[in-house]
């Protein structure tokens, strides 16, 4: 049906009617964001895609971005699990970066604490004093990282 002349005529008529109604944007977005591809012999559909606008904030924290991703994944699983599709948006590009930045920040803090302990042991030749110094540094870091969310701030790219 999709490869038939009748369907092509229907699509042409639909576009003309949309343009006549002043909805050129529907024609442009329909051409760009929705479509299908037929096999070379035009007997079957190879794949199809559908796009639409969704409303979500453009600036998100890591938790918010992950929540949006989880919600859309659950929606896809519940309503379109059998089609083998995927969902994507510009939000996910930065979400991946944010997730990696959190992992890198945690790894950086842990690695720096290990190196700090080793340097303190080498500098003092006393593991007990080195451990007290490390506890002091950890306490300062916890206060710093704990107060920021309490007062409503968040850590950005520079702080991580």
């Amino acid at each position: 049906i999709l490869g038939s002349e009748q369907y092509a005529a229907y699509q042409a008529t639909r576009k003309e009617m949309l343009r006549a109604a002043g909805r050129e944007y529907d024609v442009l977005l329909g051409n760009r964001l929705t479509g299908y591809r037929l096999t070379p012999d035009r007997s079957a559909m190879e794949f199809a895609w559908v796009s639409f606008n969704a409303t979500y904030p453009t600036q998100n924290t890591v938790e918010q971005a992950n929540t949006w991703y989880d919600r859309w994944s659950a929606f896809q699983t519940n309503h379109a699990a059998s089609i083998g599709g995927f969902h994507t948006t510009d939000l996910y590009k930065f979400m991946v970066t944010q997730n990696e930045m959190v992992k890198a920040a945690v790894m950086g803090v842990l690695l720096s604490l290990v190196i700090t302990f080793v340097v303190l042991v080498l500098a003092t030749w006393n593991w007990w004093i080195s451990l007290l110094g490390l506890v002091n540094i950890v306490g300062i870091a916890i206060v710093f990282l704990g107060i920021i969310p309490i007062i409503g701030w968040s850590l950005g790219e520079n702080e991580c």
Side-chain angles (χ1 to χ4, degrees):
I1 293 176
L2 294 175
S4 69
E5 291 180 20
Q6 293 87 358
Y7 187 72
Y10 159 75
Q11 287 285 56
T13 303
R14 179 179 178 273
K15 289 176 183 178
E16 288 174 23
M17 291 178 70
L18 286 171
R19 285 186 178 113
R23 295 177 53 183
E24 178 69 26
Y25 60 90
D26 278 332
V27 175
L28 295 173
L29 291 177
N31 289 339
R32 188 174 61 130
L33 301 176
T34 303
Y36 58 91
R37 182 163 53 182
L38 300 175
T39 57
D41 64 358
R42 303 183 62 82
S43 64
M45 184 185 308
E46 284 185 323
F47 67 90
W49 65 95
V50 178
S51 301
F52 56 91
N53 291 329
T55 302
Y56 54 83
T58 56
Q59 299 291 324
N60 293 289
T61 63
V62 176
E63 295 83 18
Q64 291 169 332
N66 287 330
T67 299
W68 279 108
Y69 180 80
D70 293 340
R71 286 176 60 190
W72 279 107
S73 292
F75 180 83
Q76 179 184 7
T77 301
N78 292 336
H79 300 289
S82 64
I83 66 169
F86 62 93
H87 55 97
T88 184
T89 178
D90 287 339
L91 172 68
Y92 298 163
K93 293 177 193 175
F94 191 59
M95 178 192 74
V96 172
T97 303
Q98 287 176 310
N99 286 328
E100 291 303 316
M101 286 171 48
V102 168
K103 289 178 192 174
V106 170
M107 184 177 67
V109 167
L110 294 177
L111 187 61
S112 68
L113 289 175
V114 169
I115 292 172
T116 299
F117 183 71
V118 170
V119 168
L120 285 172
V121 168
L122 293 175
T124 64
W125 290 102
N126 187 333
W127 69 271
W128 182 246
I129 292 175
S130 300
L131 188 62
L132 288 175
L134 186 67
V135 167
N136 186 26
I137 292 169
V138 168
I140 291 169
I142 288 172
V143 168
F144 173 73
L145 296 174
I147 286 181
I148 286 180
I150 289 173
I151 61 177
W153 295 353
S154 64
L155 294 174
E157 297 91 10
N158 295 332
E159 292 83 9
C160 288

